[in-house]
Amino acid sequence: QVQLVESGGGLVQVGGSLRLSCAASGSINSINVMGWYRQAPGKQRDLVAAITSGGSTNYADSVKGRFTISRDNAKNTMYLQMNSLKPEDTAVYYCNAVVVNVLYRYLEVWGQGTLVTVSS
């Protein structure tokens, strides 16, 4: 069993910053791609940023230059530094990972989500 647990969400004013964390635990052999997705009320879940085990990253156009994704492979943890936050960044943020478990099976795992609210 593999679990992802997010933390760091909350209420912040426009222009402020937050840092999200996603910690993976369980029967993990390795973690391939990790990513952050977000879902605003009434909207679909969209990719925000992703990072490979080698550190290659990609971002949604809407967050480029404001958000930074990173990971600590030794700790099986991923981060999302969010700066210059806007009201449209308000959403539930979900952690996602493609994990190779101890039986060498590929699993796609989701976290439970953490709410980010940007107030004006």
Side-chain angles (χ1 to χ4, degrees):
Q1 189 117 5
V2 176
Q3 296 176 330
L4 300 178
V5 177
E6 300 106 331
S7 60
L11 175 65
V12 65
Q13 291 188 331
V14 170
S17 298
L18 280 176
R19 189 192 194 209
L20 305 182
S21 299
C22 170
S25 63
S27 303
I28 298 170
N29 180 282
S30 62
I31 304 177
N32 291 355
V33 176
M34 301 185 77
W36 289 98
Y37 289 73
R38 67 186 180 187
Q39 187 168 22
K43 296 191 176 182
Q44 67 182 21
R45 188 176 299 188
D46 292 324
L47 177 68
V48 175
I51 185 167
T52 67
S53 56
S56 297
T57 60
N58 71 285
Y59 296 89
D61 288 343
S62 60
V63 306
K64 283 180 180 177
R66 300 188 297 122
F67 291 10
T68 302
I69 190 171
S70 61
R71 64 189 280 178
D72 184 334
N73 291 330
K75 296 182 179 179
N76 287 337
T77 301
M78 173 179 64
Y79 307 95
L80 185 68
Q81 178 65 43
M82 304 186 293
N83 299 328
S84 303
L85 283 161
K86 305 175 180 180
E88 52 264 43
D89 294 319
T90 295
V92 177
Y93 283 70
Y94 295 92
C95 173
N96 174 274
V98 175
V99 175
V100 181
N101 71 5
V102 294
L103 299 178
Y104 294 94
R105 293 182 64 184
Y106 283 75
L107 306 172
E108 183 179 21
V109 187
W110 289 91
Q112 80 287 355
T114 185
L115 178 62
V116 172
T117 303
V118 183
S119 68
S120 54

mmCIF file of all heavy atoms in Angstrom, residues 8-58:
data_model
loop_
_atom_site.group_PDB
_atom_site.id
_atom_site.type_symbol
_atom_site.label_atom_id
_atom_site.label_comp_id
_atom_site.label_asym_id
_atom_site.label_seq_id
_atom_site.Cartn_x
_atom_site.Cartn_y
_atom_site.Cartn_z
ATOM 1 N N GLY A 8 0.094 21.988 3.980
ATOM 2 C CA GLY A 8 0.547 23.332 3.652
ATOM 3 C C GLY A 8 -0.503 24.249 3.063
ATOM 4 O O GLY A 8 -0.234 25.425 2.832
ATOM 5 N N GLY A 9 -1.683 23.726 2.795
ATOM 6 C CA GLY A 9 -2.730 24.593 2.260
ATOM 7 C C GLY A 9 -3.245 25.553 3.320
ATOM 8 O O GLY A 9 -2.896 25.459 4.490
ATOM 9 N N GLY A 10 -4.067 26.493 2.882
ATOM 10 C CA GLY A 10 -4.629 27.446 3.824
ATOM 11 C C GLY A 10 -5.140 28.677 3.133
ATOM 12 O O GLY A 10 -5.311 28.701 1.907
ATOM 13 N N LEU A 11 -5.391 29.700 3.934
ATOM 14 C CA LEU A 11 -5.914 30.973 3.444
ATOM 15 C C LEU A 11 -4.770 31.982 3.350
ATOM 16 O O LEU A 11 -4.007 32.140 4.302
ATOM 17 C CB LEU A 11 -6.994 31.483 4.396
ATOM 18 C CG LEU A 11 -7.583 32.862 4.106
ATOM 19 C CD1 LEU A 11 -8.340 32.851 2.786
ATOM 20 C CD2 LEU A 11 -8.513 33.278 5.243
ATOM 21 N N VAL A 12 -4.687 32.646 2.210
ATOM 22 C CA VAL A 12 -3.633 33.629 2.004
ATOM 23 C C VAL A 12 -4.205 34.793 1.198
ATOM 24 O O VAL A 12 -5.158 34.618 0.423
ATOM 25 C CB VAL A 12 -2.426 32.987 1.278
ATOM 26 C CG1 VAL A 12 -2.801 32.536 -0.124
ATOM 27 C CG2 VAL A 12 -1.237 33.913 1.266
ATOM 28 N N GLN A 13 -3.648 35.962 1.386
ATOM 29 C CA GLN A 13 -4.105 37.128 0.641
ATOM 30 C C GLN A 13 -3.456 37.186 -0.743
ATOM 31 O O GLN A 13 -2.400 36.566 -0.984
ATOM 32 C CB GLN A 13 -3.776 38.400 1.419
ATOM 33 C CG GLN A 13 -4.596 38.547 2.692
ATOM 34 C CD GLN A 13 -4.398 39.905 3.338
ATOM 35 O OE1 GLN A 13 -3.342 40.524 3.207
ATOM 36 N NE2 GLN A 13 -5.425 40.366 4.049
ATOM 37 N N VAL A 14 -4.088 37.910 -1.616
ATOM 38 C CA VAL A 14 -3.540 38.106 -2.962
ATOM 39 C C VAL A 14 -2.102 38.626 -2.861
ATOM 40 O O VAL A 14 -1.799 39.513 -2.065
ATOM 41 C CB VAL A 14 -4.403 39.102 -3.751
ATOM 42 C CG1 VAL A 14 -3.706 39.500 -5.048
ATOM 43 C CG2 VAL A 14 -5.757 38.490 -4.070
ATOM 44 N N GLY A 15 -1.238 38.012 -3.665
ATOM 45 C CA GLY A 15 0.164 38.381 -3.657
ATOM 46 C C GLY A 15 1.007 37.618 -2.666
ATOM 47 O O GLY A 15 2.242 37.737 -2.672
ATOM 48 N N GLY A 16 0.358 36.844 -1.820
ATOM 49 C CA GLY A 16 1.076 36.091 -0.804
ATOM 50 C C GLY A 16 1.669 34.802 -1.337
ATOM 51 O O GLY A 16 1.615 34.509 -2.535
ATOM 52 N N SER A 17 2.241 34.025 -0.414
ATOM 53 C CA SER A 17 2.921 32.781 -0.769
ATOM 54 C C SER A 17 2.477 31.645 0.132
ATOM 55 O O SER A 17 2.095 31.867 1.288
ATOM 56 C CB SER A 17 4.438 32.954 -0.642
ATOM 57 O OG SER A 17 4.924 33.937 -1.527
ATOM 58 N N LEU A 18 2.535 30.450 -0.409
ATOM 59 C CA LEU A 18 2.309 29.214 0.344
ATOM 60 C C LEU A 18 3.244 28.152 -0.199
ATOM 61 O O LEU A 18 3.623 28.198 -1.378
ATOM 62 C CB LEU A 18 0.868 28.729 0.197
ATOM 63 C CG LEU A 18 -0.240 29.375 1.029
ATOM 64 C CD1 LEU A 18 -1.593 28.783 0.635
ATOM 65 C CD2 LEU A 18 0.009 29.199 2.514
ATOM 66 N N ARG A 19 3.564 27.213 0.661
ATOM 67 C CA ARG A 19 4.361 26.067 0.236
ATOM 68 C C ARG A 19 3.627 24.787 0.570
ATOM 69 O O ARG A 19 3.336 24.520 1.745
ATOM 70 C CB ARG A 19 5.734 26.068 0.921
ATOM 71 C CG ARG A 19 6.695 25.034 0.367
ATOM 72 C CD ARG A 19 7.899 24.891 1.249
ATOM 73 N NE ARG A 19 8.983 24.159 0.611
ATOM 74 C CZ ARG A 19 9.886 23.437 1.273
ATOM 75 N NH1 ARG A 19 9.829 23.347 2.591
ATOM 76 N NH2 ARG A 19 10.852 22.823 0.623
ATOM 77 N N LEU A 20 3.330 24.012 -0.461
ATOM 78 C CA LEU A 20 2.673 22.730 -0.270
ATOM 79 C C LEU A 20 3.716 21.618 -0.222
ATOM 80 O O LEU A 20 4.743 21.692 -0.903
ATOM 81 C CB LEU A 20 1.687 22.449 -1.397
ATOM 82 C CG LEU A 20 0.608 23.495 -1.666
ATOM 83 C CD1 LEU A 20 -0.312 23.005 -2.787
ATOM 84 C CD2 LEU A 20 -0.167 23.811 -0.424
ATOM 85 N N SER A 21 3.417 20.606 0.567
ATOM 86 C CA SER A 21 4.263 19.426 0.636
ATOM 87 C C SER A 21 3.432 18.186 0.366
ATOM 88 O O SER A 21 2.243 18.147 0.684
ATOM 89 C CB SER A 21 4.914 19.308 2.017
ATOM 90 O OG SER A 21 5.732 20.418 2.299
ATOM 91 N N CYS A 22 4.079 17.180 -0.199
ATOM 92 C CA CYS A 22 3.426 15.890 -0.447
ATOM 93 C C CYS A 22 4.414 14.798 -0.066
ATOM 94 O O CYS A 22 5.473 14.682 -0.686
ATOM 95 C CB CYS A 22 3.034 15.769 -1.906
ATOM 96 S SG CYS A 22 2.487 14.122 -2.380
ATOM 97 N N ALA A 23 4.067 14.032 0.943
ATOM 98 C CA ALA A 23 4.941 12.971 1.421
ATOM 99 C C ALA A 23 4.370 11.611 1.040
ATOM 100 O O ALA A 23 3.203 11.322 1.330
ATOM 101 C CB ALA A 23 5.106 13.066 2.931
ATOM 102 N N ALA A 24 5.199 10.797 0.415
ATOM 103 C CA ALA A 24 4.792 9.443 0.032
ATOM 104 C C ALA A 24 5.317 8.453 1.050
ATOM 105 O O ALA A 24 6.441 8.584 1.540
ATOM 106 C CB ALA A 24 5.329 9.111 -1.352
ATOM 107 N N SER A 25 4.500 7.463 1.358
ATOM 108 C CA SER A 25 4.907 6.434 2.310
ATOM 109 C C SER A 25 4.296 5.101 1.923
ATOM 110 O O SER A 25 3.341 5.039 1.153
ATOM 111 C CB SER A 25 4.480 6.819 3.728
ATOM 112 O OG SER A 25 3.077 6.891 3.814
ATOM 113 N N GLY A 26 4.878 4.040 2.463
ATOM 114 C CA GLY A 26 4.352 2.710 2.183
ATOM 115 C C GLY A 26 5.381 1.835 1.496
ATOM 116 O O GLY A 26 6.582 2.039 1.625
ATOM 117 N N SER A 27 4.891 0.877 0.740
ATOM 118 C CA SER A 27 5.738 -0.134 0.100
ATOM 119 C C SER A 27 6.287 0.401 -1.226
ATOM 120 O O SER A 27 5.894 -0.023 -2.302
ATOM 121 C CB SER A 27 4.928 -1.405 -0.124
ATOM 122 O OG SER A 27 4.406 -1.876 1.100
ATOM 123 N N ILE A 28 7.232 1.311 -1.119
ATOM 124 C CA ILE A 28 7.758 2.020 -2.274
ATOM 125 C C ILE A 28 9.135 1.498 -2.649
ATOM 126 O O ILE A 28 10.018 1.426 -1.800
ATOM 127 C CB ILE A 28 7.843 3.535 -1.983
ATOM 128 C CG1 ILE A 28 6.447 4.099 -1.711
ATOM 129 C CG2 ILE A 28 8.495 4.264 -3.161
ATOM 130 C CD1 ILE A 28 6.470 5.518 -1.191
ATOM 131 N N ASN A 29 9.276 1.172 -3.920
ATOM 132 C CA ASN A 29 10.606 0.867 -4.453
ATOM 133 C C ASN A 29 11.221 2.133 -5.038
ATOM 134 O O ASN A 29 12.379 2.467 -4.741
ATOM 135 C CB ASN A 29 10.513 -0.223 -5.511
ATOM 136 C CG ASN A 29 11.860 -0.567 -6.100
ATOM 137 O OD1 ASN A 29 12.391 0.149 -6.937
ATOM 138 N ND2 ASN A 29 12.434 -1.669 -5.652
ATOM 139 N N SER A 30 10.430 2.844 -5.830
ATOM 140 C CA SER A 30 10.887 4.111 -6.397
ATOM 141 C C SER A 30 9.672 4.910 -6.841
ATOM 142 O O SER A 30 8.566 4.379 -6.955
ATOM 143 C CB SER A 30 11.832 3.893 -7.574
ATOM 144 O OG SER A 30 11.173 3.216 -8.620
ATOM 145 N N ILE A 31 9.880 6.188 -7.072
ATOM 146 C CA ILE A 31 8.808 7.064 -7.540
ATOM 147 C C ILE A 31 9.245 7.702 -8.842
ATOM 148 O O ILE A 31 10.327 8.297 -8.909
ATOM 149 C CB ILE A 31 8.463 8.151 -6.510
ATOM 150 C CG1 ILE A 31 8.089 7.516 -5.165
ATOM 151 C CG2 ILE A 31 7.311 9.016 -7.023
ATOM 152 C CD1 ILE A 31 7.806 8.528 -4.073
ATOM 153 N N ASN A 32 8.430 7.556 -9.867
ATOM 154 C CA ASN A 32 8.740 8.164 -11.158
ATOM 155 C C ASN A 32 8.268 9.616 -11.160
ATOM 156 O O ASN A 32 8.742 10.432 -10.396
ATOM 157 C CB ASN A 32 8.139 7.333 -12.283
ATOM 158 C CG ASN A 32 8.828 6.000 -12.441
ATOM 159 O OD1 ASN A 32 9.831 5.723 -11.765
ATOM 160 N ND2 ASN A 32 8.316 5.163 -13.312
ATOM 161 N N VAL A 33 7.300 9.910 -11.998
ATOM 162 C CA VAL A 33 6.807 11.276 -12.087
ATOM 163 C C VAL A 33 5.926 11.609 -10.891
ATOM 164 O O VAL A 33 5.125 10.787 -10.453
ATOM 165 C CB VAL A 33 5.996 11.487 -13.383
ATOM 166 C CG1 VAL A 33 5.405 12.878 -13.444
ATOM 167 C CG2 VAL A 33 6.885 11.246 -14.586
ATOM 168 N N MET A 34 6.091 12.817 -10.390
ATOM 169 C CA MET A 34 5.198 13.359 -9.355
ATOM 170 C C MET A 34 4.616 14.661 -9.883
ATOM 171 O O MET A 34 5.279 15.376 -10.646
ATOM 172 C CB MET A 34 5.940 13.615 -8.042
ATOM 173 C CG MET A 34 6.579 12.391 -7.445
ATOM 174 S SD MET A 34 7.317 12.697 -5.826
ATOM 175 C CE MET A 34 5.840 12.718 -4.770
ATOM 176 N N GLY A 35 3.418 14.957 -9.459
ATOM 177 C CA GLY A 35 2.801 16.177 -9.961
ATOM 178 C C GLY A 35 1.783 16.755 -9.005
ATOM 179 O O GLY A 35 1.295 16.076 -8.106
ATOM 180 N N TRP A 36 1.507 18.023 -9.223
ATOM 181 C CA TRP A 36 0.450 18.717 -8.503
ATOM 182 C C TRP A 36 -0.676 19.031 -9.485
ATOM 183 O O TRP A 36 -0.417 19.544 -10.582
ATOM 184 C CB TRP A 36 0.966 20.020 -7.893
ATOM 185 C CG TRP A 36 1.884 19.820 -6.736
ATOM 186 C CD1 TRP A 36 3.246 19.839 -6.749
ATOM 187 C CD2 TRP A 36 1.496 19.545 -5.383
ATOM 188 N NE1 TRP A 36 3.742 19.605 -5.491
ATOM 189 C CE2 TRP A 36 2.690 19.426 -4.628
ATOM 190 C CE3 TRP A 36 0.274 19.410 -4.731
ATOM 191 C CZ2 TRP A 36 2.683 19.163 -3.256
ATOM 192 C CZ3 TRP A 36 0.278 19.152 -3.368
ATOM 193 C CH2 TRP A 36 1.460 19.030 -2.652
ATOM 194 N N TYR A 37 -1.873 18.742 -9.077
ATOM 195 C CA TYR A 37 -3.073 19.081 -9.841
ATOM 196 C C TYR A 37 -3.941 19.958 -8.948
ATOM 197 O O TYR A 37 -3.799 19.966 -7.739
ATOM 198 C CB TYR A 37 -3.857 17.820 -10.210
ATOM 199 C CG TYR A 37 -3.202 16.956 -11.253
ATOM 200 C CD1 TYR A 37 -2.079 16.193 -10.948
ATOM 201 C CD2 TYR A 37 -3.704 16.895 -12.546
ATOM 202 C CE1 TYR A 37 -1.468 15.405 -11.900
ATOM 203 C CE2 TYR A 37 -3.103 16.100 -13.514
ATOM 204 C CZ TYR A 37 -1.992 15.364 -13.185
ATOM 205 O OH TYR A 37 -1.404 14.580 -14.145
ATOM 206 N N ARG A 38 -4.859 20.678 -9.584
ATOM 207 C CA ARG A 38 -5.801 21.459 -8.789
ATOM 208 C C ARG A 38 -7.181 21.418 -9.430
ATOM 209 O O ARG A 38 -7.317 21.271 -10.628
ATOM 210 C CB ARG A 38 -5.332 22.905 -8.618
ATOM 211 C CG ARG A 38 -5.310 23.747 -9.888
ATOM 212 C CD ARG A 38 -4.691 25.111 -9.594
ATOM 213 N NE ARG A 38 -4.648 25.959 -10.776
ATOM 214 C CZ ARG A 38 -4.032 27.138 -10.814
ATOM 215 N NH1 ARG A 38 -3.405 27.609 -9.734
ATOM 216 N NH2 ARG A 38 -4.045 27.857 -11.930
ATOM 217 N N GLN A 39 -8.164 21.566 -8.551
ATOM 218 C CA GLN A 39 -9.550 21.551 -9.005
ATOM 219 C C GLN A 39 -10.313 22.640 -8.283
ATOM 220 O O GLN A 39 -10.461 22.597 -7.055
ATOM 221 C CB GLN A 39 -10.186 20.186 -8.742
ATOM 222 C CG GLN A 39 -11.570 20.031 -9.331
ATOM 223 C CD GLN A 39 -12.039 18.585 -9.310
ATOM 224 O OE1 GLN A 39 -11.555 17.760 -8.542
ATOM 225 N NE2 GLN A 39 -12.978 18.258 -10.175
ATOM 226 N N ALA A 40 -10.784 23.605 -9.059
ATOM 227 C CA ALA A 40 -11.611 24.666 -8.510
ATOM 228 C C ALA A 40 -13.073 24.221 -8.532
ATOM 229 O O ALA A 40 -13.432 23.326 -9.306
ATOM 230 C CB ALA A 40 -11.424 25.947 -9.313
ATOM 231 N N PRO A 41 -13.915 24.827 -7.722
ATOM 232 C CA PRO A 41 -15.328 24.429 -7.692
ATOM 233 C C PRO A 41 -15.971 24.504 -9.077
ATOM 234 O O PRO A 41 -15.842 25.511 -9.771
ATOM 235 C CB PRO A 41 -15.954 25.452 -6.741
ATOM 236 C CG PRO A 41 -14.838 25.860 -5.848
ATOM 237 C CD PRO A 41 -13.612 25.863 -6.718
ATOM 238 N N GLY A 42 -16.614 23.416 -9.475
ATOM 239 C CA GLY A 42 -17.300 23.377 -10.747
ATOM 240 C C GLY A 42 -16.410 23.208 -11.953
ATOM 241 O O GLY A 42 -16.884 23.283 -13.094
ATOM 242 N N LYS A 43 -15.127 22.989 -11.730
ATOM 243 C CA LYS A 43 -14.188 22.858 -12.852
ATOM 244 C C LYS A 43 -13.503 21.500 -12.809
ATOM 245 O O LYS A 43 -13.540 20.797 -11.806
ATOM 246 C CB LYS A 43 -13.168 23.986 -12.819
ATOM 247 C CG LYS A 43 -13.785 25.362 -13.020
ATOM 248 C CD LYS A 43 -12.721 26.409 -13.237
ATOM 249 C CE LYS A 43 -13.342 27.761 -13.542
ATOM 250 N NZ LYS A 43 -12.309 28.796 -13.809
ATOM 251 N N GLN A 44 -12.857 21.150 -13.898
ATOM 252 C CA GLN A 44 -12.143 19.883 -13.952
ATOM 253 C C GLN A 44 -10.802 20.003 -13.233
ATOM 254 O O GLN A 44 -10.331 21.093 -12.955
ATOM 255 C CB GLN A 44 -11.916 19.471 -15.409
ATOM 256 C CG GLN A 44 -10.966 20.383 -16.176
ATOM 257 C CD GLN A 44 -10.810 19.944 -17.629
ATOM 258 O OE1 GLN A 44 -11.643 19.236 -18.186
ATOM 259 N NE2 GLN A 44 -9.714 20.360 -18.247
ATOM 260 N N ARG A 45 -10.242 18.842 -12.937
ATOM 261 C CA ARG A 45 -8.933 18.790 -12.300
ATOM 262 C C ARG A 45 -7.862 18.964 -13.370
ATOM 263 O O ARG A 45 -7.822 18.225 -14.358
ATOM 264 C CB ARG A 45 -8.749 17.457 -11.574
ATOM 265 C CG ARG A 45 -7.512 17.375 -10.724
ATOM 266 C CD ARG A 45 -7.461 16.061 -9.957
ATOM 267 N NE ARG A 45 -8.596 15.896 -9.053
ATOM 268 C CZ ARG A 45 -8.696 14.897 -8.170
ATOM 269 N NH1 ARG A 45 -7.727 13.991 -8.085
ATOM 270 N NH2 ARG A 45 -9.757 14.802 -7.406
ATOM 271 N N ASP A 46 -6.979 19.929 -13.162
ATOM 272 C CA ASP A 46 -5.949 20.248 -14.157
ATOM 273 C C ASP A 46 -4.554 20.115 -13.575
ATOM 274 O O ASP A 46 -4.336 20.358 -12.382
ATOM 275 C CB ASP A 46 -6.123 21.686 -14.666
ATOM 276 C CG ASP A 46 -7.381 21.877 -15.490
ATOM 277 O OD1 ASP A 46 -7.749 20.949 -16.242
ATOM 278 O OD2 ASP A 46 -8.000 22.960 -15.388
ATOM 279 N N LEU A 47 -3.617 19.795 -14.431
ATOM 280 C CA LEU A 47 -2.222 19.719 -14.022
ATOM 281 C C LEU A 47 -1.689 21.127 -13.752
ATOM 282 O O LEU A 47 -1.882 22.043 -14.558
ATOM 283 C CB LEU A 47 -1.384 19.051 -15.107
ATOM 284 C CG LEU A 47 0.116 18.979 -14.844
ATOM 285 C CD1 LEU A 47 0.419 18.040 -13.692
ATOM 286 C CD2 LEU A 47 0.849 18.540 -16.106
ATOM 287 N N VAL A 48 -0.997 21.268 -12.639
ATOM 288 C CA VAL A 48 -0.339 22.526 -12.298
ATOM 289 C C VAL A 48 1.140 22.445 -12.637
ATOM 290 O O VAL A 48 1.702 23.322 -13.290
ATOM 291 C CB VAL A 48 -0.507 22.847 -10.799
ATOM 292 C CG1 VAL A 48 0.277 24.089 -10.411
ATOM 293 C CG2 VAL A 48 -1.984 22.989 -10.446
ATOM 294 N N ALA A 49 1.779 21.375 -12.171
ATOM 295 C CA ALA A 49 3.210 21.200 -12.402
ATOM 296 C C ALA A 49 3.560 19.747 -12.178
ATOM 297 O O ALA A 49 2.894 19.048 -11.411
ATOM 298 C CB ALA A 49 4.031 22.088 -11.479
ATOM 299 N N ALA A 50 4.629 19.306 -12.850
ATOM 300 C CA ALA A 50 5.088 17.934 -12.691
ATOM 301 C C ALA A 50 6.608 17.909 -12.676
ATOM 302 O O ALA A 50 7.263 18.814 -13.213
ATOM 303 C CB ALA A 50 4.546 17.049 -13.807
ATOM 304 N N ILE A 51 7.138 16.859 -12.060
ATOM 305 C CA ILE A 51 8.591 16.724 -11.969
ATOM 306 C C ILE A 51 8.956 15.253 -12.053
ATOM 307 O O ILE A 51 8.331 14.400 -11.423
ATOM 308 C CB ILE A 51 9.114 17.363 -10.649
ATOM 309 C CG1 ILE A 51 10.638 17.326 -10.599
ATOM 310 C CG2 ILE A 51 8.480 16.721 -9.422
ATOM 311 C CD1 ILE A 51 11.224 18.202 -9.492
ATOM 312 N N THR A 52 9.984 14.947 -12.832
ATOM 313 C CA THR A 52 10.446 13.570 -12.958
ATOM 314 C C THR A 52 11.445 13.245 -11.840
ATOM 315 O O THR A 52 11.895 14.136 -11.111
ATOM 316 C CB THR A 52 11.130 13.348 -14.300
ATOM 317 O OG1 THR A 52 12.351 14.106 -14.319
ATOM 318 C CG2 THR A 52 10.241 13.783 -15.462
ATOM 319 N N SER A 53 11.808 11.993 -11.753
ATOM 320 C CA SER A 53 12.784 11.597 -10.736
ATOM 321 C C SER A 53 14.135 12.248 -10.989
ATOM 322 O O SER A 53 14.921 12.448 -10.057
ATOM 323 C CB SER A 53 12.927 10.081 -10.695
ATOM 324 O OG SER A 53 13.285 9.588 -11.976
ATOM 325 N N GLY A 54 14.404 12.602 -12.229
ATOM 326 C CA GLY A 54 15.654 13.267 -12.574
ATOM 327 C C GLY A 54 15.629 14.773 -12.410
ATOM 328 O O GLY A 54 16.651 15.440 -12.599
ATOM 329 N N GLY A 55 14.452 15.313 -12.093
ATOM 330 C CA GLY A 55 14.346 16.743 -11.829
ATOM 331 C C GLY A 55 13.820 17.583 -12.977
ATOM 332 O O GLY A 55 13.719 18.810 -12.854
ATOM 333 N N SER A 56 13.460 16.969 -14.087
ATOM 334 C CA SER A 56 12.855 17.731 -15.180
ATOM 335 C C SER A 56 11.455 18.166 -14.783
ATOM 336 O O SER A 56 10.711 17.391 -14.181
ATOM 337 C CB SER A 56 12.799 16.883 -16.451
ATOM 338 O OG SER A 56 14.094 16.546 -16.884
ATOM 339 N N THR A 57 11.120 19.397 -15.149
ATOM 340 C CA THR A 57 9.845 19.962 -14.711
ATOM 341 C C THR A 57 9.039 20.502 -15.886
ATOM 342 O O THR A 57 9.595 20.814 -16.948
ATOM 343 C CB THR A 57 10.060 21.107 -13.712
ATOM 344 O OG1 THR A 57 10.836 22.140 -14.348
ATOM 345 C CG2 THR A 57 10.804 20.634 -12.468
ATOM 346 N N ASN A 58 7.753 20.583 -15.679
ATOM 347 C CA ASN A 58 6.907 21.324 -16.606
ATOM 348 C C ASN A 58 5.767 21.953 -15.809
ATOM 349 O O ASN A 58 5.381 21.442 -14.751
ATOM 350 C CB ASN A 58 6.379 20.477 -17.754
ATOM 351 C CG ASN A 58 5.350 19.473 -17.337
ATOM 352 O OD1 ASN A 58 5.651 18.459 -16.745
ATOM 353 N ND2 ASN A 58 4.089 19.763 -17.634
#
